[in-house]
């Protein structure tokens, strides 16, 4: 696979640990928006450093938009899925469908909408 390949370039950032779970947690937020602390609490085991790095990468790729509320103390950062970020959730749903069909040991969660899924 060539370095400039679209699949290779996309998987470079989407394939990193936590990336898809961060996107799913943003999708679950009201208006597809969550604060940094909410994301951190929703993803047990992720470090602040890794969460910050994933959010920055997703922002650079145009999947997430960051809003900083500097008029309050402490400063609050909110992250919102962009249109392309919301659209990628459909890809995650297809991965879930595939896994439930082909991986016998997976237990169906019963949530049709990934917004209701607790993974």
């Amino acid at each position: 696979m060539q370095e400039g390949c679209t699949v290779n370039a996309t998987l470079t950032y989407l394939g990193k640990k936590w990336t898809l779970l961060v996107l799913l947690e943003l999708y679950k937020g009201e208006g597809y928006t969550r604060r940094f602390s909410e994301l951190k609490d929703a993803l047990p085991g992720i470090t602040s450093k890794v969460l910050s790095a994933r959010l920055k990468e997703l922002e650079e790729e145009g999947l997430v938009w960051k809003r900083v509320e500097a008029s309050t103390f402490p400063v609050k950062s909110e992250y919102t899925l962009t249109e392309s970020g919301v659209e990628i959730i459909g890809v995650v749903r297809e991965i879930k469908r595939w896994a439930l069909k082909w991986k016998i040991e997976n237990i169906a969660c019963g949530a049709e909408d990934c917004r209701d899924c607790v993974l």
Side-chain angles (χ1 to χ4, degrees):
M1 185 172 287
Q2 295 182 7
E3 189 176 322
C5 171
T6 301
V7 173
N8 189 10
T10 304
L11 289 179
T12 297
Y13 61 90
L14 284 183
K16 290 183 179 177
K17 186 175 181 179
W18 298 106
T19 300
L20 291 177
L21 295 177
V22 169
L23 289 169
L24 278 172
E25 287 304 322
L26 285 169
Y27 180 71
K28 292 176 186 180
E30 187 173 325
Y32 309 126
T33 300
R34 306 280 296 266
R35 289 182 37 215
F36 185 91
S37 59
E38 292 173 324
L39 290 169
K40 179 87 172 71
D41 291 344
L43 297 166
I46 194 169
T47 65
S48 294
K49 181 179 178 179
V50 170
L51 178 56
S52 181
R54 294 302 171 267
L55 287 166
K56 184 175 181 180
E57 292 162 355
L58 291 169
E59 186 180 6
E60 289 171 357
E61 294 298 333
L63 297 169
V64 170
W65 179 73
K66 179 182 179 180
R67 184 175 78 82
V68 177
E69 181 62 50
S71 64
T72 62
F73 184 81
V75 173
K76 295 178 183 178
S77 296
E78 288 186 336
Y79 297 87
T80 303
L81 289 179
T82 62
E83 184 178 348
S84 64
V86 173
E87 192 170 313
I88 202 161
I89 298 302
V91 175
V92 175
R93 281 191 189 115
E94 289 302 314
I95 292 170
K96 177 182 174 180
R97 240 181 243 118
W98 173 86
L100 291 172
K101 178 179 179 180
W102 294 102
K103 300 298 181 185
I104 296 168
E105 63 275 0
N106 284 351
I107 299 169
C109 71
E112 287 295 316
D113 189 342
C114 288
R115 218 180 257 246
D116 300 326
C117 187
V118 292
L119 295 179

